[in-house]
Amino acid sequence: MPTGGRGHRVRGTTKTGIGMRIVLVRGDITAEAADAVVNAANSSLLGGGGVDGAIHRKGGPEILADCRRLRSSHYGRGLPTGRAVATTAGRLPARHVIHTVGPVWSRDEDRSELLASCYREALRVADELGDRTVAFPAISTGVYGWPMDDGARIAVETVRAAETEVEEVRFVLFDATAYAAFEAALAG
C-alpha cells in the first residue's frame, strides 16, 4: 500500500474527474495540520465530550466565542443533525473547524442518510471556504453509538461519491479498531 508524506497509509480514489486522496491516520485530530478539521459536535455548538471537547479545549476560547455568535444569530435552537457550519480553528493547526451534528444510532430507525449528510455538508462548507484538505473523525461512532464498521462504510462511500473541490480527505481515527474498520471500508 502506498504511504503519504508523513508515513500515513493512503489509498487514492478518483471521482467525477477530480482526483481526491483519502488518507487514514491513527492519531489525535486536534494535532492535524489541515485547512479544516471537522468536529463531531453536539447541537448546542458549545462543546461537550469526545472529539467535541478535545477540539474546544485545544482550540481555545476563540472557537467557543464563534460558536456563541452562531447560536445568538443563526442557530438559536442549535445546529440541526446532518448540517454543518464553520468557525475559526483558534489554536489548532488548521484554518477552520467545521462543526457537524451526527445522528444517534438507533436499532428502530434508519438514520444513515443523516450520517451521510454530515460528511456531504462538511465538504460543501469546505468548498465554500476554499479548503482543500479536510480531516474528519469517525462521526457518531463514539457516545452516539453508531457501529464502527457501518459508520466507516457510510463515511467512505459518501466521501467517494461527493462532488467537491477538496483534494485530500483524512479520516483521523483514535484507535486500531476504528482504523481497521476504515481500512476495510476503503478496500471494499
Side-chain angles (χ1 to χ4, degrees), residues 48-97:
V51 170
D52 193 18
I55 285 174
H56 276 270
R57 279 189 303 278
K58 252 197 166 167
E62 300 87 351
I63 296 173
L64 182 58
D66 262 9
C67 286
R68 285 189 171 136
R69 279 190 286 280
L70 287 168
R71 283 298 306 266
S72 67
S73 59
H74 297 89
Y75 298 101
R77 293 185 174 177
L79 185 64
T81 302
R83 299 281 309 273
V85 65
T87 64
T88 180
R91 299 175 190 155
L92 297 177
R95 292 181 3 179
H96 304 106
V97 172

Side-chain angles (χ1 to χ4, degrees), residues 9-32:
R9 292 185 181 193
V10 176
R11 284 196 187 266
T13 186
T14 305
K15 48 169 202 32
T16 62
I18 300 170
M20 180 202 298
R21 236 168 39 138
I22 297 177
V23 179
L24 301 183
V25 178
R26 183 169 170 205
D28 176 359
I29 197 164
T30 66
E32 284 300 305

Side-chain angles (χ1 to χ4, degrees), residues 67-155:
C67 286
R68 285 189 171 136
R69 279 190 286 280
L70 287 168
R71 283 298 306 266
S72 67
S73 59
H74 297 89
Y75 298 101
R77 293 185 174 177
L79 185 64
T81 302
R83 299 281 309 273
V85 65
T87 64
T88 180
R91 299 175 190 155
L92 297 177
R95 292 181 3 179
H96 304 106
V97 172
I98 299 174
H99 306 265
T100 189
V101 180
V104 174
W105 185 76
S106 170
R107 289 181 190 273
D108 303 323
E109 181 183 349
D110 182 5
R111 299 177 179 168
S112 300
E113 182 51 36
L114 285 171
L115 182 55
S117 180
C118 292
Y119 292 97
R120 277 193 306 271
E121 285 289 301
L123 290 171
R124 179 190 59 76
V125 170
D127 283 342
E128 289 175 359
L129 297 168
D131 291 342
R132 296 296 171 250
T133 56
V134 179
F136 281 98
I139 298 167
S140 287
T141 61
V143 71
Y144 284 8
W146 206 281
M148 185 60 72
D149 290 343
D150 193 47
R153 178 190 61 79
I154 291 167

